[in-house]
Amino acid sequence: MVKGIAKYLLAAAVLSGLVYSCSTQRNTSLSRNHHALTTRYNVKFNAEQSFLKGLDQIEKSYKADYSDLLPVFIISDPAMQKVASGNMKACIDKCQKAIKTHSIRVKPDKKPARNAPEKERRFYEQEEFNPVMPSVFLLMAKAELYGGDFESAVSTCSYIQQHFSHDKKTCDASKIYQAIAYYIDDWLYEAENIFVKMNDEGFDSSLNALYSTAYGDLLLHQGRTQEAIPLIEIGLSNTHRKVEKQRYTYLLAQLYQSVGQDDKSYSYYKKVTNLSPSYEMDLNARIHQTEVNHHISQKAVVRKLLRMSRNKNNADYLDAIHYAIGNYYLNDKDTVQAIEQYKTAIAKSTLGGHYKAQSLITLGGLYYDDENFRPAVPCYKEGNPLIEDDNSIKEMVAERDRILQILEPYVETIFVQDSLQAMAALPEERRSAIIDSIIEVVKKQLKEEARKKSQEEALSANEEFTKENVKESDEPKATVSNGDNSWYFYNEASLKQGKKDFEKNWGKRSLEDNWRIRNKGTFFSDLNASLNGTDETPPADGTTTAPDGLLTDIEAESTATDAPEFEASDDPTEPGYYLKDLPFTEEQIAESNAQIAEAMFNAAKVYREQMENDDLALRTFAELERRFPADTLWLPETYYLCYLILMQHHENEKAEDNRHKLLTNHPNTEQAEILSDSLFIQKMIDMYAHEDSMYNETYRHFISNHADSVKANYSYVEANYSRSTLMPKFMFLRAMEAVKDGDGELFLRLITEITAKYPNCDLKDMVSQMLAYWNAGLRPQGFNGFYEGYVDIDSLMLDSISNQFTYQPKEPHLMVLSYPSDSTNANHLLFDVALYNFTNFLIRDYELSLEQLAKHDVLVIRPFENAEDVTRYASWMNFQTERPEEKYPGLVILIISESNFKLLNTTTFGDNITPIEAYIRFYRKHYLGEEIE
């Protein structure tokens, strides 16, 4: 009995001794080996497994865009940065557990002697004694990086470099991962500093591949492709992971293609196809091979691509194939065939991705460059949203789309009216034959649609019957989850379920635009096809405004034709449907011509003002004059604008010819009166030289309440510079002065005139809102200015201080209302400003905040686009017709730019000068235009 107890006691003593000797509070060879072994094969192993699972999840979820450069690191794609956050978090948690339970930071009991070896002394000086712990921290940094938490990754890498300096390999690796986190987060300068410094100081040779790949990726982010290529090649030669080898090979093919080294590009694309890549990568590589292989004929390339298009496995990639074919034809100067291929690419696109976007923009560009703007409109309208924001052509595409939206109604009017006149001018037999052929097509379409509808209704009825007889538990689940976290357009299970749900509600429909519309044919497209044998639309620049041959018919039949007898109809299978809008009588032709003339004039102005294409504008004005020589509505302004354009281009003789036509044919017009002035050109030169400075001067007079000066300047500009582009702004200032004077009639006349004469000016939205309020019965209140009563202190000191501020009127601004807190109820002031915003003409969503500006309590109103914006706001400010300073004595209102506001918040101006006092002198001088003595 006693011996048994003794055995247990001895065993417990030995066990407790072992536990104590292996504690993280003891730094012995036994404890270090124990915790290193436990960390490596227990906690760290599990963390690595979670990390690898996350990495695999990222690679499986990534959907490559083969039209753009593939990424070196997939996590540089923002869509991939959170995909594996769950597995990466599990990895981080396990690393943190390892650090918490197995980190040994206590020093060994025995301190090395002074003459001890360097290695022994360095070992004693280190902070961490578990040899596996540096790799744990590095793994945690990698998990943070691949989990999209770049700030934490940078922080962890910095910690490694500070606390594990004895482990050079780990520190060097952490520097590379820190640089990756930097440049993915757009800190390119900091990342490059790391790489350059590492290269100068040297790093562990085992990291050559990682360093080269990461540095090459940074160079690609900076657009330095030629420098990046050899570094990516090093990364390719050192990677053993299949997906990376495929991606790097494809990327190198793209890079060599981008720098014009097509032979090397072809070689790498060929290598891709030998690496057993995914079907999509293999297909894209083969497509791009045809672009860089100059050793085979164009016909052979096209035949090869067409064979690929017939492969049913390529059904989702037909847009890419036909886009490539279109590029080949375009390079061969065969524009007609190129256009057909781009149209085919657009029509057969199923995923609506990059290739459809590029086909749309390339096709639109061909039309645009050929000045055939009508068919270019839908190309840019549909293509603009498909272009990524970071694409280099995005700005150009967006600008063209904007211009074409303005131009569209004018070119459409010209096209439609010319088509109608062409149809009306045809002999009745030919016209009837065309209409009959169109009706025959429409009847076939309607018959086919009726058949499909009947089929859909039968399917729908069958499905309803099936639904009623199937138990609810047998219904397929609405939500499909297969572990695929990719975007639903790329998730096959989601697509199948969505298709099923769609057919349940709508039946089987063709995959096409406007699938809800039964009759998609239009009279004009059918008319063009009948007349020309093609659906090509004519140029819309005014030089040819109808299909080939039609303009001649219109000119030949300039008089009205006998209208056939018909009964108007809304049924597209009846002739009256097509005849009802045709202009047969003189009055109808005159109305049609009036629409064409107006549209041509406005189109020419768009070419001049929006496209800055003076040559096209002049040609369109000339066509307007040729087609409508008796016009009196648009020709005077046409001659005037042509005169200005030609004088600007120093074609004085042609300009004088237009001036002579204007004075001879339209002597009693405003334009003739202007050009009859022998000093007109000099006045125009003076206007361009002085209009800006005169407006700025008038604006300062306005905000300083110098009403007489505002009125005098406006009268002078109206008399001498009435064609100034700043005229609506002068009129607006004069309208505001009319408000102060209580002259509602003048105010209404001026803002109405601005709306009518300058519909596209910067003030259009504001003036339209004012008119809306006026029409709703609201009236602006007359009042005087309120910029007065500022504090004066030592001039020399104020001059010195005010020089610290900068006058930047174009910068975003805010308004500061400084109020005495002991006598002003801040909440009442806040309410009055909010009420003013809701009831005043200049309603916008402003942010109001009560803040502290040094020693002052202030109400800050933001944001304003610039100084002019906030000054206009201030000029109207009143609290139920009461001036702000009258209702709140001691209130000081200041206009401040964002940068000056920051300066006021961060700078001390002296014990006796508050920030508000320091700013007032600067404000009065630059914003109010006062002479400070």
Side-chain angles (χ1 to χ4, degrees):
M1 179 72 176
V2 174
K3 287 183 179 180
I5 294 172
K7 287 180 181 179
Y8 282 116
L9 291 173
L10 180 61
V14 172
L15 182 61
S16 62
L18 287 171
V19 171
Y20 177 69
S21 64
C22 293
S23 167
T24 57
Q25 300 307 310
R26 294 276 294 168
N27 189 342
T28 64
S29 177
L30 179 62
S31 66
R32 291 194 296 272
N33 289 330
H34 166 74
H35 286 287
L37 188 69
T38 306
T39 304
R40 178 178 288 112
Y41 294 108
N42 187 1
V43 187
K44 182 172 180 285
F45 174 79
N46 293 328
E48 285 177 334
Q49 292 304 304
S50 295
F51 177 78
L52 292 174
K53 285 181 182 178
L55 205 58
D56 185 60
Q57 187 179 6
I58 291 173
E59 288 170 346
K60 287 181 177 178
S61 300
Y62 177 63
K63 186 70 175 178
D65 179 3
Y66 294 100
S67 61
D68 199 2
L69 289 180
L70 296 188
V72 176
F73 297 101
I74 295 177
I75 50 166
S76 61
D77 183 345
M80 295 292 104
Q81 291 168 6
K82 299 295 181 182
V83 167
S85 56
N87 282 312
M88 294 306 170
K89 186 179 185 304
C91 175
I92 294 167
D93 291 342
K94 289 178 172 63
C95 289
Q96 290 174 342
K97 178 183 177 182
I99 295 166
K100 184 177 181 180
T101 57
H102 297 292
S103 177
I104 302 175
R105 302 184 63 83
V106 297
K107 299 287 185 183
D109 293 337
K110 185 179 178 181
K111 188 175 182 179
R114 290 185 178 180
N115 59 351
E118 176 70 17
K119 183 178 179 180
E120 186 177 335
R121 283 189 283 112
R122 289 181 62 185
F123 175 79
Y124 185 83
E125 291 170 359
Q126 68 188 41
E127 298 181 30
E128 175 62 58
F129 294 90
N130 183 339
V132 184
M133 204 52 61
S135 62
V136 172
F137 273 93
L138 184 63
L139 179 60
M140 184 166 70
K142 290 166 61 179
E144 290 166 341
L145 174 66
Y146 281 85
D149 189 354
F150 302 124
E151 291 184 5
S152 295
V154 168
S155 177
T156 304
C157 289
S158 297
Y159 182 90
I160 293 171
Q161 295 155 34
Q162 292 172 15
H163 298 279
F164 301 115
S165 56
H166 61 280
D167 189 339
K168 179 170 175 54
K169 180 179 177 180
T170 301
C171 286
D172 288 342
S174 72
K175 290 176 183 177
I176 297 173
Y177 287 115
Q178 184 178 27
I180 294 172
Y182 270 140
Y183 70 69
I184 290 179
D185 210 22
D186 289 331
W187 293 67
L188 305 184
Y189 179 78
E190 288 76 7
E192 186 162 20
N193 276 347
I194 292 175
F195 287 123
V196 171
K197 192 173 181 181
M198 287 183 69
N199 188 56
D200 293 341
E201 296 176 352
F203 53 88
D204 192 284
S205 59
S206 65
L207 297 172
N208 276 341
L210 179 62
Y211 175 89
S212 300
T213 308
Y215 195 12
D217 194 22
L218 169 64
L219 294 175
L220 291 179
H221 276 71
Q222 295 175 323
R224 296 156 64 182
T225 304
Q226 199 72 57
E227 299 173 62
I229 288 176
L231 295 173
I232 303 299
E233 286 182 324
I234 294 174
L236 171 61
S237 63
N238 285 275
T239 185
H240 301 292
R241 302 184 71 244
K242 181 180 177 181
V243 290
E244 283 187 348
K245 192 176 287 290
Q246 293 169 350
R247 189 168 70 252
Y248 292 170
T249 305
Y250 195 100
L251 174 61
L252 283 166
Q254 291 178 306
L255 295 177
Y256 276 120
Q257 185 177 4
S258 70
V259 297
Q261 298 187 40
D262 288 349
D263 288 341
K264 286 190 175 182
S265 176
Y266 180 84
S267 173
Y268 274 103
Y269 279 129
K270 190 172 183 179
K271 288 179 182 178
V272 171
T273 62
N274 295 329
L275 291 173
S276 302
S278 66
Y279 184 82
E280 189 175 4
M281 178 180 280
D282 182 78
L283 175 65
N284 278 276
R286 293 181 188 277
I287 289 173
H288 288 296
Q289 266 185 287
T290 62
E291 296 176 353
V292 294
N293 188 351
H294 304 298
H295 304 295
I296 57 176
S297 69
Q298 179 220 0
K299 290 183 178 179
V301 173
V302 171
R303 282 199 302 270
K304 184 176 180 180
L305 287 168
L306 287 173
R307 280 199 303 272
M308 292 171 66
S309 71
R310 289 190 287 270
N311 187 334
K312 64 181 181 180
N313 294 324
N314 296 335
D316 288 336
Y317 309 105
L318 292 178
D319 52 355
I321 295 171
H322 287 283
Y323 173 67
I325 297 173
N327 288 342
Y328 267 99
Y329 281 122
L330 191 61
N331 291 335
D332 201 40
K333 311 299 182 186
D334 190 346
T335 307
V336 174
Q337 288 293 336
I339 287 175
E340 288 304 314
Q341 291 301 322
Y342 292 137
K343 285 182 177 180
T344 304
I346 295 165
K348 295 191 175 182
S349 177
T350 58
L351 301 178
H354 173 85
Y355 289 111
K356 181 178 182 180
Q358 285 299 115
S359 299
L360 283 163
I361 299 309
T362 307
L363 178 61
L366 290 173
Y367 287 135
Y368 192 98
D369 294 339
D370 197 37
E371 298 175 358
N372 193 3
F373 299 117
R374 183 173 174 270
V377 171
C379 294
Y380 281 99
K381 185 184 291 185
E382 187 178 357
N384 183 26
L386 298 178
I387 299 291
E388 298 291 338
D389 290 339
D390 58 352
N391 195 306
S392 59
I393 66 170
K394 178 66 176 180
E395 186 176 348
M396 178 274 291
V397 170
E399 177 62 12
R400 285 191 174 184
D401 183 36
R402 182 191 68 80
I403 294 172
L404 288 173
Q405 297 308 309
I406 300 172
L407 183 64
E408 180 182 18
Y410 308 133
V411 295
E412 186 67 23
T413 297
I414 295 170
F415 175 80
V416 169
Q417 294 304 318
D418 273 342
S419 298
L420 292 173
Q421 289 193 33
M423 189 69 167
L426 290 175
E428 186 172 356
E429 290 183 3
R430 187 181 176 194
R431 182 171 58 242
S432 298
I434 292 172
I435 292 175
D436 289 343
S437 65
I438 295 172
I439 290 174
E440 185 178 350
V441 172
V442 170
K443 285 181 177 179
K444 287 181 179 179
Q445 290 177 344
L446 292 174
K447 185 176 180 180
E448 178 64 18
E449 286 167 6
R451 185 188 66 79
K452 288 182 179 180
K453 183 178 179 182
S454 176
Q455 185 180 30
E456 290 163 10
E457 288 173 350
L459 285 170
S460 178
N462 184 52
E463 286 169 359
E464 287 296 325
F465 176 79
T466 304
K467 276 185 189 178
E468 293 173 1
N469 290 276
V470 175
K471 294 181 180 179
E472 186 175 347
S473 59
D474 295 333
E475 283 288 319
K477 301 295 182 184
T479 303
V480 176
S481 177
N482 61 350
D484 186 352
N485 294 322
S486 60
W487 191 37
Y488 64 89
F489 274 151
Y490 300 140
N491 186 317
E492 289 299 325
S494 297
L495 283 173
K496 288 178 181 177
Q497 182 63 43
K499 184 177 180 182
K500 201 174 200 179
D501 292 342
F502 177 88
E503 290 179 353
K504 188 180 295 183
N505 292 323
W506 297 95
K508 294 185 180 295
R509 295 290 179 99
S510 300
L511 186 61
E512 57 187 349
D513 291 338
N514 301 319
W515 54 269
R516 291 185 183 85
I517 301 174
R518 295 291 181 187
N519 184 11
K520 301 179 182 66
T522 65
F523 170 64
F524 299 111
S525 61
D526 290 336
L527 171 61
N528 279 322
S530 299
L531 290 174
N532 303 307
T534 176
D535 62 353
E536 287 295 315
T537 51
D541 63 349
T543 57
T544 305
T545 51
D548 293 342
L550 295 189
L551 191 59
T552 305
D553 291 336
I554 296 172
E555 292 166 350
E557 298 289 342
S558 57
T559 59
T561 60
D562 294 332
E565 294 183 1
F566 67 92
E567 184 177 345
S569 173
D570 292 328
D571 183 355
T573 63
E574 294 294 332
Y577 179 84
Y578 305 96
L579 293 170
K580 63 181 180 180
D581 293 323
L582 298 184
F584 291 110
T585 67
E586 291 184 358
E587 292 79 9
Q588 290 172 334
I589 292 175
E591 172 59 28
S592 177
N593 284 336
Q595 292 184 42
I596 295 172
E598 180 180 4
M600 290 180 71
F601 176 82
N602 286 317
K605 288 190 68 176
V606 173
Y607 303 146
R608 159 74 169 167
E609 297 169 3
Q610 302 293 332
M611 293 185 184
E612 299 180 356
N613 188 338
D614 287 347
D615 177 65
L616 180 55
L618 288 170
R619 284 189 279 120
T620 307
F621 282 135
E623 180 67 11
L624 171 62
E625 180 189 14
R626 185 188 70 80
R627 291 189 62 179
F628 309 107
D631 176 81
T632 58
L633 183 59
W634 305 108
L635 282 184
E637 187 70 9
T638 294
Y639 292 136
Y640 173 81
L641 292 175
C642 287
Y643 176 81
L644 293 182
I645 295 171
L646 291 166
M647 288 297 292
Q648 188 176 350
H649 290 279
H650 307 292
E651 298 185 43
N652 297 356
E653 187 174 337
K654 291 183 179 179
E656 187 58 33
D657 182 52
N658 278 275
R659 178 174 175 271
H660 176 73
K661 290 178 183 177
L662 175 61
L663 297 179
T664 303
N665 301 329
H666 308 277
N668 299 321
T669 59
E670 176 191 353
Q671 295 84 355
E673 182 180 353
I674 294 172
L675 291 190
S676 64
D677 187 350
S678 60
L679 299 176
F680 170 72
I681 292 298
Q682 186 58 47
K683 286 184 178 180
M684 290 292 292
I685 294 172
D686 291 343
M687 181 187 78
Y688 289 127
H690 299 119
E691 62 180 351
D692 286 330
S693 59
M694 179 166 285
Y695 175 71
N696 290 333
E697 176 189 339
T698 308
Y699 191 70
R700 284 197 297 270
H701 288 317
F702 172 73
I703 61 177
S704 302
N705 296 303
H706 299 156
D708 291 341
S709 298
V710 173
K711 296 172 184 177
N713 283 3
Y714 168 74
S715 298
Y716 179 81
V717 170
E718 185 182 30
N720 295 279
Y721 304 152
S722 61
R723 291 292 177 132
S724 169
T725 55
L726 296 177
M727 195 61 206
K729 292 189 175 183
F730 281 103
M731 295 170 69
F732 186 79
L733 292 181
R734 183 64 185 89
M736 296 303 99
E737 287 297 339
V739 171
K740 293 181 182 180
D741 295 340
D743 189 346
E745 291 185 5
L746 179 58
F747 165 79
L748 179 61
R749 179 177 68 78
L750 288 170
I751 64 170
T752 303
E753 194 172 341
I754 293 173
T755 305
K757 284 189 174 182
Y758 309 99
N760 297 318
C761 72
D762 296 340
L763 299 168
K764 61 179 180 179
D765 293 334
M766 185 188 310
V767 172
S768 297
Q769 188 66 58
M770 289 180 173
L771 278 174
Y773 280 120
W774 182 281
N775 293 333
L778 299 177
R779 296 294 181 268
Q781 300 294 326
F783 59 91
N784 294 317
F786 52 88
Y787 297 107
E788 57 187 10
Y790 294 109
V791 182
D792 253 325
I793 58 177
D794 185 85
S795 293
L796 292 176
M797 185 178 295
L798 282 175
D799 280 340
S800 175
I801 293 169
S802 66
N803 289 333
Q804 298 182 49
F805 300 108
T806 56
Y807 180 59
Q808 299 178 3
K810 302 294 185 183
E811 183 180 334
H813 277 59
L814 45 83
M815 178 185 285
V816 170
L817 281 66
S818 175
Y819 59 90
S821 56
D822 57 344
S823 61
T824 303
N825 187 314
N827 289 328
H828 288 176
L829 176 62
L830 183 66
F831 174 80
D832 278 332
V833 174
L835 183 62
Y836 162 71
N837 286 343
F838 281 110
T839 58
N840 192 264
F841 280 113
L842 312 181
I843 289 180
R844 274 169 50 183
D845 291 329
Y846 293 106
E847 177 187 339
L848 309 180
S849 58
L850 295 170
E851 300 178 15
Q852 280 280 324
L853 185 61
K855 300 177 183 179
H856 290 265
D857 292 302
V858 297
L859 170 61
V860 180
I861 309 171
R862 57 166 71 88
F864 297 91
E865 293 180 1
N866 47 44
E868 181 179 351
D869 188 22
V870 65
T871 306
R872 188 182 299 120
Y873 175 95
S875 68
W876 280 79
M877 182 176 258
N878 67 92
F879 300 152
Q880 295 82 53
T881 73
E882 192 173 2
R883 289 171 54 189
E885 296 90 340
E886 292 175 350
K887 187 167 185 178
Y888 296 98
L891 184 73
V892 176
I893 303 177
L894 295 173
I895 294 169
I896 306 177
S897 66
E898 291 278 8
S899 57
N900 286 338
F901 186 74
K902 291 177 183 177
L903 184 64
L904 285 169
N905 267 318
T906 57
T907 306
T908 302
F909 299 97
D911 295 334
N912 298 321
I913 303 174
T914 68
I916 297 292
E917 292 168 338
Y919 182 75
I920 284 174
R921 192 175 186 85
F922 171 88
Y923 172 71
R924 294 173 65 186
K925 177 179 179 181
H926 292 280
Y927 287 84
L928 304 184
E930 295 182 9
E931 293 293 332
I932 307 298
E933 298 179 357

